[in-house]
Amino acid sequence: MPRFAANLSMMFNELPFLERFAAARQAGFEGVEFLFPYDFPAPELRSRLTGEGLSQVLFNMPPGDWAKGERGIASIPGRQAEFRESVKKALDYAAALDCRQVHCMAGIVPEGVSMTTATTVYAANLAWAVEQTHASGVKLVIEPINHRDMPGYFLNTQAQGAAIVEAIGRDRLGLQFDVYHVQVTEGDITRRMEQFMPVIAHMQIADVPARNEPGTGEIGWPFVFRRIDELGYQGWVGCEYRPRGETVEGLGWRQAFGV
């Protein structure tokens, strides 16, 4: 059975952020993930995790200026120094939260920047970042994101992501396989899961088209969940979905699908 982690950036929005840890535990989750921890002191987050007996399974590196539409800076020329500082900041939080995986967002390629240039910058940044994360006992992960939700994002397909992982090394870098993004961009979810399972380090779920909880859209979840188990995936599965209504009421999908 998959190990599900609640995504506290999207779930339990009925509550202030720091109260969502307890709500997730009460709902039966043993792990949590979220987009960013940086608005809160690390000791406060650590206290919430420890108090509820929760594992922090993933968060993102600083993304640049989120309010202005930036979604990572790893592929953006001229931001290399800022990128390196963001790696260090993420590792400080990872150590405090005992989080063993951190997601590096590739970024939206700025207008006028060629893909050749963006690729060169991205490769150099990742090569530096994985040396830092690996030395700290943290695995860096990269996630292809669909162009419908994030137009212009540098990394889009599982094949792209897997090739980068293989080039750098599975011991240092992993693929974050998000079922929602896969379905929107490429479809054929379980075949791609089968193909890329050797490099998948983290998984996330949401239904299509509205990114709500499983069972609200077009994806055949009983088959997807069965294949996750049959393929021997041992990592966490982040519930990165927007509840269609109240979060706890929406968790009926777990009983419905036997997970």
Side-chain angles (χ1 to χ4, degrees):
M1 181 182 297
R3 292 189 299 161
F4 295 104
N7 186 296
L8 301 187
S9 296
M10 291 193 172
M11 302 173 71
F12 303 103
N13 273 246
E14 304 87 353
L15 299 168
F17 182 78
L18 291 177
E19 295 179 21
R20 297 174 196 172
F21 293 84
R25 187 59 174 167
Q26 290 171 3
F29 290 98
E30 296 181 354
V32 296
E33 62 176 34
F34 39 67
L35 294 181
F36 311 108
Y38 312 108
D39 286 341
F40 302 93
E44 176 64 35
L45 298 176
R46 176 72 263 173
S47 175
R48 302 284 171 158
L49 291 166
T50 301
E52 301 300 335
L54 291 166
S55 297
Q56 183 70 46
V57 304
L58 183 80
F59 61 84
N60 297 337
M61 283 173 43
D65 194 331
W66 187 269
K68 291 184 178 179
E70 291 187 338
R71 297 296 182 264
I73 58 175
S75 65
I76 301 178
R79 307 284 288 276
Q80 288 91 329
E82 181 183 350
F83 176 80
R84 292 190 175 198
E85 288 303 313
S86 76
V87 172
K88 295 174 184 177
K89 186 173 186 178
L91 285 176
D92 286 344
Y93 270 84
L97 304 182
D98 193 24
C99 183
R100 302 272 62 92
Q101 291 193 138
V102 173
H103 171 215
C104 174
M105 299 189 75
I108 296 171
V109 179
E111 185 176 352
V113 174
S114 72
M115 284 303 294
T116 299
T117 298
T119 300
T120 301
V121 172
Y122 185 64
N125 277 335
L126 274 187
W128 185 86
V130 296
E131 294 306 315
Q132 314 311 308
T133 54
H134 184 68
S136 299
V138 173
K139 191 164 193 175
L140 202 66
V141 295
I142 55 174
E143 179 188 28
I145 295 178
N146 78 78
H147 266 167
R148 186 180 75 189
D149 286 10
M150 210 169 286
Y153 194 75
F154 176 82
L155 190 61
N156 308 123
T157 71
Q158 304 309 301
Q160 278 180 298
I164 294 167
V165 171
E166 295 288 20
I168 290 179
R170 299 177 187 177
D171 60 328
R172 285 168 164 74
L173 188 65
L175 183 67
Q176 186 169 314
F177 186 100
D178 187 308
V179 170
Y180 170 79
H181 291 306
V182 173
Q183 175 69 353
V184 172
T185 303
E186 306 176 80
D188 218 3
I189 295 167
T190 56
R191 286 293 180 90
R192 300 189 195 285
M193 195 186 298
E194 293 163 8
Q195 181 179 1
F196 300 117
M197 187 56 73
V199 299
I200 294 174
H202 187 67
M203 300 186 76
Q204 291 176 323
I205 58 170
D207 219 326
V208 175
R211 204 171 187 173
N212 298 140
E213 54 264 70
T216 58
E218 68 192 36
I219 295 176
W221 290 104
F223 186 72
V224 169
F225 290 141
R226 186 165 73 248
R227 289 303 288 146
I228 290 174
D229 281 343
E230 291 170 350
L231 292 168
Y233 177 69
Q234 298 296 311
W236 290 91
V237 177
C239 298
E240 195 185 39
Y241 63 76
R242 301 184 186 95
R244 187 166 57 177
E246 196 271 338
T247 300
V248 173
E249 289 179 3
L251 289 173
W253 62 268
R254 295 196 63 175
Q255 182 176 359
F257 298 135
V259 293

